[in-house]
Amino acid sequence: MYTTFTQITSAVLLRRTRILPVAGQCSCALAKRMNSDDVIAEAFVPTHHELIDVVRVLGLPGPKPLMN
């Protein structure tokens, strides 16, 4: 059987490797102390929007005209 526990200590050093999905700019230095809410890198991820005529693609009948 597994048991859960909680350990609280202030003397912990965490090291994480972070990789950006695209080329970007690193804003921190090697071995610099960072806080958990510090921005460490920035990258521009271009967005791509594509409009799709779902009615035509699915072969559905077009909208019915309104009757007055």
Side-chain angles (χ1 to χ4, degrees):
M1 179 194 303
Y2 294 102
T3 184
T4 60
F5 67 94
T6 302
Q7 182 178 1
I8 301 173
T9 180
S10 62
V12 174
L13 176 65
L14 294 177
R15 292 179 187 215
R16 301 271 190 231
T17 301
R18 303 284 189 229
I19 299 173
L20 292 173
V22 294
Q25 179 79 20
C26 182
S27 59
C28 64
L30 187 63
K32 179 182 175 188
R33 285 187 169 261
M34 306 296 290
N35 293 320
S36 61
D37 59 345
D38 289 341
V39 175
I40 58 172
E42 293 177 322
F44 175 72
V45 180
T47 57
H48 175 74
H49 298 281
E50 190 171 326
L51 297 176
I52 300 173
D53 185 357
V54 178
V55 173
R56 185 179 54 80
V57 171
L58 296 177
L60 301 173
K64 296 178 183 177
L66 296 174
M67 298 179 79
N68 293 338

